[in-house]
Amino acid sequence: MIPSRRSVLRGAAAASVPLISGVCSERAFASTAAGSHGSGGGPGGARSTLGPNVIVFDPSMSNASIQAKVDAVFAIQESNQFGDERFALAFLPGTYTVDINVGFYTHVLGLGASPSDVVINGHVTVDAQWFEGNGTQNFWRAAENLTIVPPDGLERWAVAQAAPMRRVHIKGNITLWPSPPGNRWSSGGFLADSVVDGYVESGSQQQWLSRNDTFGSWNGSNWNMVFVGTQGAPTQSFPAPPYTTVDRTPVIREKPFLTVDRHGSYQVFVPALRTNSTGTTWAAGPAKGHTVPLARFHVATPGDSAATINRALSSGKHLLFTPGIYDISAPLRVNRPGTVVLGLGLTTLRSTHGNTVIEVADVPGVTLAGLLFEAASHHTPVLLRVGDGCGRGRRRHESDPTVLFDIVARIGGAIPGGAGISVQIDSDDVILDHLWLWRADHGLDGTVGWTVNPADSGIVVNGDRVTAYGLFVEHYQKYEVLWQGEHGRTYFFQNEHPYDVPTQTAWRHGSTLGYAAYKVGDHVRDHRAWGLGSYCFFNLNADIYTDCAYEVPDTPGVVFTDLMTVCLNGAGGGGILHAIDKAGDPVQNGFATYFMKSYANGAAGA
């Protein structure tokens, strides 16, 4: 990414939030909407069923009133990067003429069975004018299950990390960079199970993963553009342009989503598992899967204790988190096969006592989706753990895998805190579908620094046959990815080394300078990865180096395809000395990029 993306936000600049009626809070917004169908109505009553910060719209409301509420949320959330407010804007089946600007911690979702059930005649936009046209900090937002008909033919989704778009049909074109004026940088992103009738213009997007989409065409590239199971994707051409194209998605099921049935009752649809797939689940007819009535969920609201939530889980309930911040003082234990844990509005779960936030047993078919895990104590050994089996004690789950969708970890930025490992996978056959694991490089005063928000590793994978689509891991202080299970597969990796290394002595182990961003365990004999990018920007002018970005055992079964490194140090010193192990040219002492088509058995391939 480009260094000015990481311009540190300090004090009032970071906390500046527009007001509604002179008060800035979720409760204040709910009160301004009181009496409307959007706040208190909807199936079962949005206020009583889903909380005050899920705002439900239906087509009987006037477009003007919907626009006013949508604009009011955006006024709060446009630049509210580290604020406490969380919102979900939910649309009942119907057609709406409205323009939706999507700010921080805002989740826009259609409540139909198909994207065609909710039609937005307008835009669903992420832009960057709040940050002078720089979209590289457009984090923490989402849109899903909609048809978008932009009146000018052009949708704009200029995002960075943790801003997924899923299950949408864009009847027109889409651009992935901000509107002028400004520098127009952007850095993301993730699109899945979606159709774009026209073209996708990547513009300044530095990296991107498209999975199980259908495009009219794709235009442009920067460093690392990956397409898996996508119809209309560009042909494989890495590195000129840097397109990595994998024809089929080996195994996936799509993210569950909230919907309403024909009687107006809420339910959650859980899509079926697919293998060797291309394109979307829904374009050729209704998606395969099953529904779970909301009555079978514990609907959590901020203030629910870990004990309350665990009682619900142990009684056989699924779990739906309504938007907000949850202080979790003991692990939430998911022990029942097939449990769905679904967050709305970028639900944030904070570890307050050094505890794991969620522990998933070694059982099949669990879903975790739409959750932001945050360290709120000095040291949390593991924020999220999946599985409790080690070695031969683990079970096979290939016919009904556990899947993690849109999982975010944040160490620092909003609050000070530290962690050992953000995500640990100890089960076999787990699927990871879009994770951003972030040790903050910028944030509110007192929340960022080498000893203020320490964190060792973003993810440690001990399970076998784990598959990752869209693995974003940044700024951790040791191995950012440590993969120790066999038969692992990664499709798209994006990484930045820690910016704030104070001295080379502080960042080395033995005689090795720094840590690899992606380390495959020395004992592993089978591992494959496609489309990887690792960048460095050491911002303390301390002349910092790392020996390599990727570290793997020298064995024929470990193969990396289409990998790259980037140095963004400007005029400063430091850099990455090798791309993988001892292979690949250095990127150092300024701006530089290096591309490698393949690496296996200790040698780079042409």
Side-chain angles (χ1 to χ4, degrees):
M1 299 170 195
I2 297 177
S4 64
R5 164 192 171 183
R6 303 309 197 184
S7 302
V8 178
L9 301 183
R10 295 297 185 189
S16 176
V17 180
L19 304 181
I20 289 181
S21 301
V23 180
C24 176
S25 73
E26 297 172 294
R27 189 172 308 221
F29 179 78
S31 68
T32 67
S36 75
H37 189 229
S39 174
R47 180 182 294 277
S48 62
T49 303
L50 297 177
N53 299 309
V54 178
I55 306 166
V56 181
F57 302 105
D58 73 54
S60 72
M61 299 174 65
S62 72
N63 290 318
S65 65
I66 296 172
Q67 189 70 63
K69 290 179 176 62
V70 167
D71 289 347
V73 170
F74 185 63
I76 295 173
Q77 301 299 85
E78 180 184 12
S79 58
N80 195 15
Q81 184 171 177
F82 295 104
D84 291 342
E85 293 79 6
R86 306 286 187 271
F87 292 101
L89 307 179
F91 291 80
L92 290 168
T95 299
Y96 303 83
T97 301
V98 60
D99 277 313
I100 305 169
N101 282 306
V102 185
F104 286 102
Y105 313 108
T106 302
H107 180 189
V108 181
L109 61 155
L111 295 174
S114 166
S116 62
D117 291 340
V118 175
V119 178
I120 305 296
N121 286 321
H123 303 88
V124 179
T125 299
V126 177
D127 209 336
Q129 300 316 304
W130 71 277
F131 200 42
E132 299 179 348
N134 183 343
T136 59
Q137 291 185 20
N138 280 344
F139 312 139
W140 307 312
R141 62 200 77 201
E144 64 180 319
N145 203 25
L146 305 161
T147 291
I148 303 168
V149 188
D152 59 357
L154 184 64
E155 168 73 350
R156 188 177 303 279
W157 192 256
V159 296
Q161 289 76 6
M165 181 178 273
R166 294 180 179 269
R167 196 177 165 81
V168 298
H169 185 181
I170 297 169
K171 293 192 171 183
N173 308 308
I174 183 171
T175 185
L176 305 178
W177 59 343
S179 60
N183 53 47
R184 303 188 71 195
W185 292 330
S186 53
S187 174
F190 182 86
L191 180 69
D193 200 26
S194 295
V195 173
V196 179
D197 288 347
Y199 63 76
V200 182
E201 178 191 44
S202 67
S204 62
Q205 273 295 339
Q206 292 159 12
Q207 59 273 315
W208 191 270
L209 173 63
S210 298
R211 182 189 55 68
N212 287 96
D213 299 313
T214 299
F215 301 147
S217 63
W218 177 281
N219 303 323
S221 64
N222 200 328
W223 294 335
N224 187 30
M225 325 306 281
V226 179
F227 310 85
V228 181
T230 293
Q231 299 168 351
T235 57
Q236 169 73 26
S237 59
F238 189 91
Y243 295 148
T244 300
T245 301
V246 179
D247 290 341
R248 292 185 175 271
T249 302
V251 58
I252 192 66
R253 61 179 170 84
E254 297 297 339
K255 176 180 176 287
F257 56 92
L258 187 66
T259 184
V260 295
D261 64 17
R262 59 191 181 88
H263 303 293
S265 298
Y266 284 122
Q267 55 191 10
V268 171
F269 184 80
V270 182
L273 189 71
R274 295 201 294 168
T275 57
N276 296 318
S277 61
T278 64
T280 72
T281 57
W282 51 268
K288 295 180 180 179
H290 67 277
T291 58
V292 183
L294 194 64
R296 291 175 55 190
F297 282 76
H298 172 72
V299 180
T301 57
D304 279 8
S305 67
T308 296
I309 295 171
N310 276 327
R311 280 194 297 271
L313 289 168
S314 65
S315 72
K317 292 279 191 179
H318 302 274
L319 183 56
L320 179 75
F321 285 102
T322 61
I325 295 176
Y326 295 74
D327 290 332
I328 306 297
S329 60
L332 305 181
R333 302 188 186 280
V334 180
N335 297 322
R336 183 174 60 85
T339 300
V340 176
V341 180
L342 180 63
L344 301 178
L346 285 296
T347 292
T348 302
L349 307 176
R350 286 179 171 169
S351 168
T352 60
H353 288 70
N355 53 282
T356 301
V357 176
I358 294 181
E359 294 182 354
V360 180
D362 188 23
V363 296
V366 172
T367 291
L368 301 182
L371 303 171
L372 193 163
F373 294 80
E374 191 161 39
S377 51
H378 175 69
H379 180 72
T380 301
V382 179
L383 283 172
L384 167 62
R385 183 178 180 186
V386 177
D388 51 20
C390 296
R392 290 177 296 176
R394 290 197 303 264
R395 306 169 188 171
R396 296 289 297 265
H397 302 304
E398 65 268 32
S399 63
D400 191 13
T402 285
V403 190
L404 278 56
F405 304 93
D406 303 339
I407 297 298
V408 179
R410 184 167 68 188
I411 316 299
I415 53 174
I421 299 166
S422 289
V423 177
Q424 182 169 319
I425 306 297
D426 291 335
S427 279
D428 292 342
D429 304 298
V430 174
I431 299 172
L432 313 173
D433 195 52
H434 182 233
L435 275 62
W436 186 39
L437 313 176
W438 187 57
R439 175 182 168 262
D441 61 272
H442 67 276
L444 303 180
D445 282 336
T447 68
V448 174
W450 190 251
T451 60
V452 175
N453 63 326
D456 289 344
S457 297
I459 185 168
V460 174
V461 178
N462 296 317
D464 294 338
R465 297 174 305 281
V466 173
T467 302
Y469 305 100
L471 189 55
F472 302 75
V473 188
E474 298 188 295
H475 312 307
Y476 288 81
Q477 294 167 310
K478 294 184 179 178
Y479 294 125
E480 308 209 41
V481 174
L482 177 57
W483 204 299
Q484 302 186 117
E486 288 287 357
H487 310 292
R489 299 292 185 265
T490 294
Y491 301 86
F492 180 93
F493 172 67
Q494 183 266 326
N495 162 260
E496 287 183 338
H497 295 275
Y499 285 7
D500 56 342
V501 181
T503 65
Q504 189 71 69
T505 301
W507 200 50
R508 66 186 302 152
H509 56 293
S511 62
T512 301
L513 303 179
Y515 286 83
Y518 193 119
K519 161 74 172 175
V520 179
D522 294 341
H523 63 281
V524 173
R525 292 295 171 260
D526 184 276
H527 186 93
R528 304 287 176 99
W530 292 261
L532 305 99
S534 180
Y535 323 139
C536 70
F537 172 58
F538 302 118
N539 64 5
L540 298 183
N541 296 316
D543 207 27
I544 302 300
Y545 290 88
T546 186
D547 274 338
C548 64
Y550 316 99
E551 184 178 331
V552 303
D554 182 0
T555 184
V558 176
V559 180
F560 277 40
T561 301
D562 296 355
L563 56 149
M564 65 165 306
T565 53
V566 181
C567 181
L568 296 167
N569 282 353
I576 302 170
L577 296 178
H578 302 282
I580 184 166
D581 294 341
K582 296 300 181 182
D585 296 342
V587 289
Q588 60 185 339
N589 303 327
F591 177 84
T593 60
Y594 176 78
F595 297 90
M596 182 184 291
K597 289 185 178 182
S598 66
Y599 183 86
N601 207 21

